[in-house]
Structures are given as structure tokens and as C-alpha cells.
Amino acid sequence: MNDSQIADNIARIQERILRAAERAGRAPQSIALMAVTKFHPAEAILDAYHAGIRLFGENRVQEAQTKYPPLRDSLVGSRLHMIGTLQKNKINKALGIFDALEGIDSVEVLEAILARLSSRTEPIELFFELHTGEESKAGFPSLDELLRACDLLASFAAENREEGRLVVLRGLMTMAPFTTDERAIRHSFSMLAAAKAEVAQRFDFVHFTELSMGMSNDFEIAIEEGSTLVRIGTALFGERA
């Protein structure tokens, strides 16, 4: 896919975001568009950047480590999120590459991240993933488990003032089931929105504002249900190689 096709696709997605936001009575500016670059080459990343994209997502630490460090000087003002499941043995590398880690799905992974924060000079943003119906069963299996992680993070920040400033809970993320059943998709997204409200009520995380939900096949529904960040790959870049 060439640069003009990617630019056209971005424009079409942004128009659909605008319409979905209008249906929901929301400001389109409140919704960020992430370009998911898994299995797509560096050239596609640069084309998306030149077309206005400033937020990128990768699923795997190793692929991100290969592609992004050589590009970062050319992607001024951009941010890179890890949106896949993070294995504990990849945490050190992830902390050196990403600006945010979205797939935090267990207390054990959170503990491992907190133990390695000394490698950071800038804060790392975290998104806790809640399992809401996607078949892979990624994410915290219940709201109670997610709240337990929130409690751990709040306690860590209170007890470790210096390292506590290096970790920021930015929001929650989920994957809806891959289905044509709109009710099931909406239920998944509304579960995450309810979880965000519960966390906000119980904890005082200053920067906790984001709902990362919605992909190429369901992002308009996600926006109608409150998403602030949609993760789009195929609709921007075409099918992965």
C-alpha cells in the first residue's frame, strides 16, 4: 500500500470517528487514533506519520525493538504503546522502548514492572486490561482482580515517592469479542466503561482518564460507548503480510 492510500484511509477513519462522536454527543478531539503497525514495515509507519498520525501501537516487544529505535528521530512528537500481552521476561526491553504499556493483565506482571522502574527516567504509562469477552481471555479475569492491582499501584506510589512518579495509571483497555453480534460488542465496551467508573470512584489516580477500546471492525461502537482511544491496523494499512 502506498503513502497516498494510507493517507486516504486515515482521512476516511477520521471521518468515521467524527460521525460516531457526533452520534454520541461527544467532541471528536476527545478520541485518539492509534495506528497499529504489527507486521507492517517501517515505510508504512513513516507514511502514517507524514499523514498526521502521532500515536502508534505494537503487539510484540521484539518487533518493536527491531522497527522503532531507528525511526524515533524521524517520528518527532510521536508516542509508542505496547498493546499486546507483556511477558515478564520482556519487561526490561519494553521499558526501554515504549511510552505506554496497555496489556497489563495480572498483579504479577505489575509487580515485575514496579521492580524494574529504576531503568526509566521518564514516567511509563500503564493501561490495565480487563477481560470482557474476547476469546483469547486476555486481561484481568474479573473487576476484583483489576481493583487488587489498582490497590497495589496506589500503595506503591504512596510508599515510594521517587519511583512512584515513574509510573502512571492512564486508563483501561479491552478487546471485544470478534462477532457480528452488536449487543455482545456493546456489552464488552460498557463493562470496561463501568470498570473505569469504579476505579475512579475508589482511587485518586490523577491521570486516569482513558478507555482504550475499539479496533478496525468495531471502533464506531466503541466510541459510542465512551472510548477515548481506538486502535486501528487493518483499516489503515490493509491486511497484514
Side-chain angles (χ1 to χ4, degrees):
M1 184 173 290
N2 61 41
D3 56 349
S4 63
Q5 288 175 307
I6 290 174
D8 288 346
N9 288 343
I10 289 170
R12 278 192 287 270
I13 294 296
Q14 288 173 331
E15 179 63 26
R16 290 170 64 185
I17 289 172
L18 173 64
R19 290 200 211 103
E22 287 175 346
R23 288 195 299 274
R26 299 178 57 199
Q29 309 91 284
S30 68
I31 301 141
L33 170 58
M34 173 191 289
V36 177
T37 57
K38 177 182 178 181
F39 298 151
H40 295 294
E43 292 77 12
I45 296 168
L46 290 171
D47 289 341
Y49 178 82
H50 292 143
I53 295 292
R54 294 295 179 268
L55 181 60
F56 296 89
E58 273 286 342
N59 293 67
R60 300 177 182 180
V61 174
Q62 188 138 350
E63 186 177 353
Q65 191 177 33
T66 300
K67 289 195 300 197
Y68 276 91
L71 290 176
R72 289 311 283 266
D73 288 345
S74 301
L75 303 176
V76 177
S78 69
R79 293 181 65 77
L80 178 62
H81 287 210
M82 180 170 180
I83 59 173
T85 300
L86 179 61
Q87 298 172 329
K88 286 193 285 187
N89 64 349
K90 300 289 178 61
I91 287 173
N92 286 340
K93 290 180 180 178
L95 288 172
I97 302 168
F98 294 96
D99 301 299
L101 306 174
E102 289 205 19
I104 308 306
D105 61 359
S106 72
V107 168
E108 291 74 25
V109 169
L110 176 61
E111 287 174 334
I113 291 169
L114 297 179
R116 293 162 171 79
L117 284 176
S118 59
S119 66
R120 295 280 300 190
T121 56
E122 296 294 323
I124 184 79
E125 295 183 352
L126 304 182
F127 289 66
F128 290 167
E129 181 176 4
L130 182 64
H131 172 58
T132 62
E134 200 273 332
E135 288 183 3
S136 71
K137 297 182 171 59
F140 285 95
S142 68
L143 178 58
D144 285 345
E145 281 295 298
L146 189 149
L147 293 172
R148 191 159 75 89
C150 290
D151 192 49
L152 170 65
L153 184 57
S155 298
F156 178 87
E159 296 166 9
N160 302 273
R161 186 160 297 182
E162 282 302 309
E163 288 193 330
R165 70 176 181 82
L166 291 173
V167 61
V168 174
L169 184 61
R170 197 76 173 92
L172 304 182
M173 72 94 78
T174 199
M175 293 176 65
F178 190 77
T179 176
T180 57
D181 183 350
E182 185 175 319
R183 289 178 301 176
I185 295 170
R186 286 193 185 278
H187 176 67
S188 174
F189 294 148
S190 65
M191 277 182 65
L192 195 72
K196 178 176 177 287
E198 186 72 17
V199 171
Q201 182 179 4
R202 295 192 185 205
F203 299 92
D204 187 25
F205 294 122
V206 176
H207 302 289
F208 182 72
T209 59
E210 305 300 317
L211 278 176
S212 174
M213 58 190 197
M215 305 195 314
S216 291
N217 61 304
D218 57 20
F219 71 89
E220 288 153 305
I221 299 172
I223 290 168
E224 292 169 3
E225 295 295 334
S227 177
T228 64
L229 191 166
V230 294
R231 310 182 303 268
I232 311 296
T234 302
L236 292 184
F237 299 113
E239 295 294 334
R240 297 184 178 101

